[in-house]
Amino acid sequence: MASGGGDNELEVSNKQVIFKDYVSGFPKESDMYLKTNGTIKLKVPEGSNGLLVKNLYLSCDPYMRNRMKKSTDSLVPGSPIVGFGVAKVVDSGNPKFKKGDLVWGSTGWEEYSLITDFQNLIKIEHTDVPLSYYTGILGMPGLTAYGGFYEVCSPKKGEYVFVSAASGAVGQLVGQFAKLLGCYVVGSAGSKEKVDLLKNKLKFDEAFNYKEESDLDAALKRYFPEGIDIYFENVGGKMLDAVLLNMRTHGRIAVCGMISQYNLEKPEGVYNLMHMIYKRVHMKAFVAFDYYHLYPKFLDLVLPHIAEGNIVYLEDIAEGLESGPAALVGLFSGLNVGKQVVLVAQE
Amino acid sequence: MASGGGDNELEVSNKQVIFKDYVSGFPKESDMYLKTNGTIKLKVPEGSNGLLVKNLYLSCDPYMRNRMKKSTDSLVPGSPIVGFGVAKVVDSGNPKFKKGDLVWGSTGWEEYSLITDFQNLIKIEHTDVPLSYYTGILGMPGLTAYGGFYEVCSPKKGEYVFVSAASGAVGQLVGQFAKLLGCYVVGSAGSKEKVDLLKNKLKFDEAFNYKEESDLDAALKRYFPEGIDIYFENVGGKMLDAVLLNMRTHGRIAVCGMISQYNLEKPEGVYNLMHMIYKRVHMKAFVAFDYYHLYPKFLDLVLPHIAEGNIVYLEDIAEGLESGPAALVGLFSGLNVGKQVVLVAQE
């Protein structure tokens, strides 16, 4: 794409977080590096229908780990990390967006980005909430929780719901949706602090620290003596295996993620799939993209709940683009408490 | 239940196949024994609404292995094996059935049975087909194939369908349903004879002998270079793991059975469930009971196809009640070619 600007156009420095090379095992901060000597013109190249945006918030999401290994959908070594974010339009070559608009969607880990792929780029219409929410409760994780819980699980009042990684970006919302519907909800998390938040702030009926349970099957039997109707799966491996032993007839498992498996050279085996047959279990994997058409309906549901305080949302905000690599890597050891966001710039 | 008959009622000998004790590992013929010294009166006890039936055909089905281990749904040691069968009513205490009616449903492995549980007992209305078909294509396995393929998999013309244990009671029908719909269908089985039948008699597009494939993933890639839309799962374990690597986006897996796992002390691990997320796979376990309400609709579909020769059905009929234990045990080493039936008596 040819640069169309003249010399008089504003060219500014553009710090970037660069993806170094494909990752195996746990990602490390050193798999990324900060590049500080880049510049960018704050203008869309002539003839492009792109958007030049100033990135405000970047989102750290577990799925990003999968793009760090070599595949058809990999991040590009030597280029900035790509992920979800909230940004402000600085210059627009696209009639659907104008300077000053706020958007959320796929962007680069850098101060300014040129966005040319508008698939799933959404203009932000409601700004009476924290803008960072569009990386979480009002963004991809929120739509994930909504689609996964309501569409995949077909929940009914009074059902028994289990959520793993329950204080995370998606889990905390699933649990609150389930409570609002009148379900019994238990969450698992990896620290006492998170368990306390689940019980006291997020209003789960019960919560437990999986790291303190030597026998996950026994833990689940303690919290679900009648069994589990709905499991919202965020972790995989041993937890899934224990859940399968405790599903009720016609139980549903929404497979959102398997964060415990992403960094293993060889994933753990799951041994209890036969219990799917005994209980006629329905297990469906999905991604938020499958439910983008429901985004307006989702906002209609969730915005009033936020305004009325029926739903709260925990965020863990790291300040500055340079804090991005540590924040992203921290997801995989559970350092974040709530949705992990990186604040790049105030609006 | 008190016997209400007088001494002048006909009492006949009643050979039985008795379940000896709970089984671990592969079931053996010696886990059952033939009891030849029993007798039965060919009359329903006074006051009972039961049916006294003469058993004609007994069905050998893989799920029966699960009832041989100790559970809430176990067979009773010292009592006859219980399974599906076709029988003729000799005496009836139930106004819905009369002497001479033919029925299929749950019965005992014996010459005559007193049936008192009418759940899922179905009167046979169409007798212009082999009666043994009501243990297979027109019975529980047929309804399993129908519900699993049409209801669970939502198949579309042109889709890529893989069926494991494809020459078995259920698999052979799934493949034929898929061909009638215009799908591309590949089946796996455990012998050259079965592979030949799949290709030549059952009209599968392709078939392979899984025992001759050292790399199941490579075998599936050979037959499904574009990937698999629908997997009809009958075997579990390594086959499922290989299939998961080859599913297409929004692929569906109907979990009907996992016969490779039923006799293992510890089931095999399944390692590739993360691929469910990459491809948003939908995996649903089911049993025929879930689709009993569709039985009339199923017959409307399948009876004309049988009459016109569009669907054929392979049966492996063992003669005599005493051949039952070997026939049942043979399922788990794949000795049967087609639906395994035991002929107890001609009508």
Side-chain angles (χ1 to χ4, degrees), chain A residues 66 69 250 255 257 262 266-271 273-274 276-278 280-285 287 290, chain B residues 66 69 250 255 257-258 262 266-271 273-274 276-278 280-285 287 290:
Chain A
N66 291 322
K69 69 178 180 211
H250 290 132
V255 183
Y262 295 159
K266 181 177 179 173
E268 293 176 301
V270 171
Y271 297 88
L273 288 169
M274 274 204 296
M276 285 186 72
I277 304 174
Y278 307 153
R280 293 115 96 177
V281 169
H282 178 167
M283 189 165 166
K284 184 170 179 171
V287 297
D290 297 333
Chain B
N66 290 323
K69 67 178 182 210
H250 289 134
V255 183
M258 295 189 175
Y262 296 158
K266 181 177 180 174
E268 292 177 301
V270 171
Y271 296 88
L273 288 169
M274 275 202 296
M276 284 186 73
I277 303 175
Y278 307 152
R280 293 116 96 178
V281 170
H282 179 169
M283 188 166 166
K284 183 170 180 171
V287 296
D290 297 334

Side-chain angles (χ1 to χ4, degrees), chain B residues 28-293:
Chain B
K28 303 176 299 297
E29 287 187 52
S30 60
D31 291 321
M32 297 159 265
Y33 63 89
L34 196 70
K35 185 180 168 192
T36 56
N37 61 356
T39 61
I40 190 168
K41 284 187 177 160
L42 293 185
K43 191 125 189 65
V44 170
E46 205 167 316
S48 162
N49 72 341
L51 298 183
L52 200 295
V53 302
K54 179 182 183 185
N55 291 309
L56 306 179
Y57 292 97
L58 297 174
S59 180
C60 297
D61 295 298
Y63 83 89
M64 295 168 76
R65 172 64 185 84
N66 290 323
R67 299 196 66 194
M68 291 181 152
K69 67 178 182 210
K70 198 165 185 172
S71 77
T72 53
D73 189 38
S74 298
L75 295 173
V76 180
S79 293
I81 301 281
V82 173
F84 284 90
V86 172
K88 186 169 191 169
V89 176
V90 174
D91 187 33
S92 172
N94 185 316
K96 287 188 188 156
F97 300 90
K98 64 177 193 303
K99 184 174 170 176
D101 279 353
L102 292 161
V103 295
W104 73 268
S106 185
T107 191
W109 279 37
E110 54 194 346
E111 291 177 288
Y112 296 93
S113 295
L114 178 66
I115 294 177
T116 54
D117 179 1
F118 299 101
Q119 203 185 6
N120 306 318
L121 191 79
I122 294 181
K123 193 188 292 191
I124 293 173
E125 310 279 2
H126 303 273
T127 53
D128 50 350
V129 290
L131 270 184
S132 55
Y133 274 17
Y134 288 93
T135 67
I137 183 171
L138 298 176
M140 183 276 285
L143 200 51
T144 301
Y146 178 81
F149 185 64
Y150 290 105
E151 299 293 316
V152 174
C153 295
S154 307
K156 291 187 286 291
K157 182 178 174 175
E159 286 195 313
Y160 301 104
V161 176
F162 177 53
V163 185
S164 55
S167 69
V170 177
Q172 58 174 310
L173 256 182
V174 172
Q176 292 180 86
F177 286 154
K179 281 309 299 173
L180 286 171
L181 192 67
C183 297
Y184 169 82
V185 187
V186 179
S188 64
S191 73
K192 183 177 184 309
E193 178 191 7
K194 292 177 185 179
V195 167
D196 288 344
L197 283 167
L198 287 169
K199 290 203 278 195
N200 301 323
K201 194 160 171 72
L202 298 168
K203 307 297 179 197
F204 281 54
D205 292 290
E206 291 286 351
F208 66 90
N209 181 349
Y210 72 90
K211 291 177 181 169
E212 288 182 351
E213 301 290 343
S214 58
D215 182 340
L216 290 172
D217 176 32
L220 291 172
K221 286 193 165 49
R222 199 164 70 232
Y223 291 109
F224 295 99
E226 308 285 330
I228 298 168
D229 292 299
I230 290 174
Y231 173 46
F232 200 96
E233 162 71 306
N234 287 313
V235 304
K238 290 185 179 64
M239 186 65 91
L240 175 58
D241 235 359
V243 166
L244 286 165
L245 297 173
N246 289 282
M247 291 301 289
R248 303 184 84 193
T249 298
H250 289 134
R252 289 135 273 154
I253 299 178
V255 183
C256 173
M258 295 189 175
I259 195 171
S260 73
Q261 305 299 298
Y262 296 158
N263 302 308
L264 304 179
E265 282 298 298
K266 181 177 180 174
E268 292 177 301
V270 171
Y271 296 88
N272 296 323
L273 288 169
M274 275 202 296
H275 290 258
M276 284 186 73
I277 303 175
Y278 307 152
K279 297 299 172 60
R280 293 116 96 178
V281 170
H282 179 169
M283 188 166 166
K284 183 170 180 171
F286 69 100
V287 296
F289 293 133
D290 297 334
Y291 301 106
Y292 261 61
H293 60 289

Side-chain angles (χ1 to χ4, degrees), chain A residues 38-312:
Chain A
T39 62
I40 190 168
K41 284 187 177 158
L42 293 185
K43 191 125 186 70
V44 170
E46 203 167 316
S48 163
N49 72 341
L51 299 182
L52 200 297
V53 302
K54 179 182 183 185
N55 291 310
L56 305 178
Y57 292 97
L58 297 175
S59 181
C60 298
D61 296 297
Y63 84 89
M64 296 168 75
R65 173 63 185 85
N66 291 322
R67 299 196 66 195
M68 291 180 151
K69 69 178 180 211
K70 196 164 188 174
S71 76
T72 53
D73 190 38
S74 299
L75 295 173
V76 180
S79 293
I81 301 281
V82 173
F84 284 90
V86 173
K88 187 170 190 169
V89 176
V90 175
D91 187 33
S92 172
N94 185 316
K96 288 189 188 156
F97 300 91
K98 63 177 195 302
K99 183 175 172 175
D101 279 353
L102 293 160
V103 295
W104 74 268
S106 186
T107 190
W109 279 37
E110 54 194 347
E111 290 176 288
Y112 297 93
S113 295
L114 177 65
I115 294 176
T116 54
D117 178 3
F118 299 101
Q119 202 186 6
N120 306 318
L121 191 79
I122 294 181
K123 193 188 290 190
I124 292 173
E125 310 278 4
H126 302 273
T127 54
D128 51 348
V129 291
L131 269 185
S132 56
Y133 275 17
Y134 289 93
T135 67
I137 182 170
L138 298 177
M140 182 276 286
L143 200 50
T144 302
Y146 179 79
F149 185 63
Y150 289 106
E151 299 293 315
V152 175
C153 295
S154 307
K156 290 186 286 292
K157 182 176 175 178
E159 286 194 314
Y160 301 104
V161 177
F162 177 53
V163 185
S164 56
S167 69
V170 176
Q172 57 174 310
L173 257 181
V174 173
Q176 292 181 85
F177 286 154
K179 281 310 298 173
L180 287 170
L181 192 67
C183 296
Y184 169 82
V185 188
V186 178
S188 64
S191 74
K192 183 178 183 310
E193 179 191 7
K194 293 178 184 178
V195 167
D196 289 344
L197 283 167
L198 286 169
K199 290 202 279 195
N200 300 324
K201 194 157 172 76
L202 298 168
K203 307 299 181 197
F204 280 55
D205 292 290
E206 292 287 352
F208 66 90
N209 181 348
Y210 72 91
K211 292 177 181 170
E212 288 182 350
E213 301 289 344
S214 57
D215 181 341
L216 291 171
D217 176 33
L220 291 172
K221 286 192 164 48
R222 199 164 71 232
Y223 292 108
F224 294 98
E226 309 285 330
I228 298 168
D229 291 300
I230 289 174
Y231 172 46
F232 199 95
E233 163 70 305
N234 289 312
V235 305
K238 290 185 179 64
M239 186 65 92
L240 175 57
D241 235 359
V243 166
L244 286 166
L245 298 173
N246 288 281
M247 292 300 289
R248 302 184 83 193
T249 299
H250 290 132
R252 287 135 276 154
I253 299 178
V255 183
C256 173
M258 295 189 175
I259 195 171
S260 74
Q261 305 299 298
Y262 295 159
N263 301 309
L264 304 179
E265 282 299 298
K266 181 177 179 173
E268 293 176 301
V270 171
Y271 297 88
N272 296 322
L273 288 169
M274 274 204 296
H275 290 256
M276 285 186 72
I277 304 174
Y278 307 153
K279 297 299 172 59
R280 293 115 96 177
V281 169
H282 178 167
M283 189 165 166
K284 184 170 179 171
F286 68 100
V287 297
F289 293 133
D290 297 333
Y291 302 105
Y292 260 61
H293 61 288
L294 299 178
Y295 188 66
K297 193 175 158 195
F298 162 67
L299 286 184
D300 287 347
L301 173 86
V302 81
L303 284 170
H305 280 312
I306 294 174
E308 290 159 25
N310 299 328
I311 291 182
V312 297

